[in-house]
Amino acid sequence: MTEKAFQDYYSEDLSHCYGCGRLNEHGLHIKSHWEGEEAVCSFNPKPYHMAIPGYVYGGLIASIIDCHATGTAAAATYRAEGRGMDTEPSLRFLTASLHVDYLRPTPLDGPLEVRARVKEIKGRKVVVAATLLAQGEVRARGEVVTVQMPDHLRVPPG
Amino acid sequence: MTEKAFQDYYSEDLSHCYGCGRLNEHGLHIKSHWEGEEAVCSFNPKPYHMAIPGYVYGGLIASIIDCHATGTAAAATYRAEGRGMDTEPSLRFLTASLHVDYLRPTPLDGPLEVRARVKEIKGRKVVVAATLLAQGEVRARGEVVTVQMPDHLRVPPG
């Protein structure tokens, strides 16, 4: 896919996230795109992202769902405001709460796909529901409450 | 601390977890210990474990709470059974669900401390409540439902 991902529109100062920042050289670099009303992310785990041999560790699943949801929240808010992701003011969301149900073990070989839908946009809050699939089967479901980042967090703590 | 951590008692075939496996050379190597009725884990995030400059990314917080909780579940079950963690059968828990509330941003410099308590042991299920602190303040709270690993998962998928 050559279309720019949601995360490619994050402003430079907010593109260092380990999960999804394009400028974090150690990070996971997850990328999200619209497919109609769903936001989709495909991710290939590394062999060392294991829980037990053959299966993905739960923290990676939580991390992908988390970053995919905050990206989806931003993209959905641009859509709701009827403007492009390249317009100002730029949007960035943080996670207020994360819930993941691990329904069955997730095989480590092959891509993981996360599909997300916006459940609610209310003021600065966006609630996102996500489903993680591998080998065509649902492996985990998540719900993420995200909140638009307050400006004071743009300055690192002193 | 020289005392062995909960994770040091995991059997060799189940010590590859990215979050807590002593045999995963790329992993986080989180370690948990009892302090009375609480299980405690201290973790120093790397500079690249950031969300935005100065703050820890939520996926790391979820990962530490997750692995600390599964370790606590195993340790608590040995205790409930009145036997040492070096006795057979060895115990290992998986995550059924994970919930994290991010209460305030978590500074990236300095150790994170996770303190966990067992809320319930019921058959093969153990529910663990966890609090994550940094610089003396509570930053996140988690609740993890863990389940004792079924034997068939010891064989990787074919």
Side-chain angles (χ1 to χ4, degrees):
Chain A
M1 196 163 330
T2 54
E3 177 201 349
K4 275 173 81 170
F6 302 165
Q7 293 81 7
D8 295 329
Y9 291 100
Y10 288 164
S11 65
E12 196 159 309
D13 60 325
L14 300 178
S15 289
H16 300 278
C17 175
Y18 183 84
C20 59
R22 65 183 181 277
L23 303 177
N24 189 320
E25 61 179 317
H26 301 278
L28 302 173
H29 299 137
I30 81 149
K31 302 282 185 192
S32 309
H33 299 86
W34 286 119
E35 279 186 25
E37 291 304 304
E38 285 191 322
V40 179
C41 163
S42 178
F43 184 84
N44 283 294
K46 304 282 186 198
Y48 53 76
H49 285 140
M50 78 170 69
I52 56 174
Y55 299 103
V56 177
Y57 105 105
L60 181 77
I61 290 171
S63 299
I64 299 171
I65 287 176
D66 182 9
C67 282
H68 181 54
T70 52
T72 300
T77 303
Y78 285 110
R79 267 196 178 181
E81 294 178 357
R83 61 189 179 97
M85 284 188 270
D86 54 353
T87 60
E88 295 292 333
S90 74
L91 298 174
R92 189 80 162 83
F93 281 72
L94 301 178
T95 307
S97 80
L98 169 68
H99 185 91
V100 180
D101 289 313
Y102 298 91
L103 304 176
R104 52 183 65 81
T106 302
L108 192 54
D109 56 335
L112 311 179
E113 184 180 67
V114 184
R115 306 189 75 88
R117 282 178 178 269
V118 172
K119 283 184 74 174
E120 186 188 2
I121 300 183
K122 192 173 180 182
R124 297 172 70 88
K125 185 176 94 170
V126 179
V127 182
V128 177
T131 301
L132 182 137
L133 300 104
Q135 297 177 359
E137 264 196 274
V138 174
R139 308 288 173 163
R141 289 191 201 278
E143 183 161 310
V144 188
V145 179
T146 72
V147 180
Q148 205 175 315
M149 201 182 103
D151 284 341
H152 71 85
L153 286 180
R154 289 205 171 211
V155 182
Chain B
M1 194 161 331
T2 53
E3 176 201 350
K4 275 172 81 171
F6 302 164
Q7 292 82 7
D8 296 329
Y9 292 99
Y10 289 163
S11 64
E12 196 159 307
D13 59 325
L14 300 178
S15 289
H16 300 278
C17 175
Y18 183 84
C20 61
R22 65 183 182 278
L23 303 178
N24 189 319
E25 62 178 316
H26 300 279
L28 302 173
H29 299 138
I30 81 148
K31 302 282 185 191
S32 309
H33 299 86
W34 286 120
E35 280 186 24
E37 291 304 305
E38 285 192 323
V40 180
C41 162
S42 179
F43 185 83
N44 284 295
K46 303 281 186 201
Y48 52 76
H49 285 139
M50 78 170 67
I52 57 173
Y55 298 103
V56 176
Y57 104 104
L60 181 75
I61 290 171
S63 299
I64 299 171
I65 287 176
D66 182 8
C67 282
H68 181 53
T70 52
T72 300
T77 303
Y78 285 111
R79 267 197 177 180
E81 294 179 357
R83 61 188 179 97
M85 286 188 270
D86 54 353
T87 61
E88 295 292 334
S90 74
L91 298 174
R92 189 80 163 84
F93 281 71
L94 300 178
T95 306
S97 79
L98 168 69
H99 185 92
V100 181
D101 290 313
Y102 298 91
L103 304 176
R104 51 182 64 82
T106 302
L108 192 55
D109 55 336
L112 311 178
E113 185 181 67
V114 185
R115 306 188 74 87
R117 282 179 178 270
V118 171
K119 284 184 70 174
E120 185 188 2
I121 300 182
K122 192 173 178 183
R124 297 173 70 89
K125 185 176 94 170
V126 179
V127 182
V128 177
T131 301
L132 182 138
L133 300 104
Q135 298 177 358
E137 264 197 274
V138 174
R139 308 288 173 163
R141 289 190 201 279
E143 183 161 310
V144 188
V145 178
T146 72
V147 180
Q148 205 174 315
M149 201 182 103
D151 285 340
H152 70 85
L153 286 179
R154 290 204 170 211
V155 182

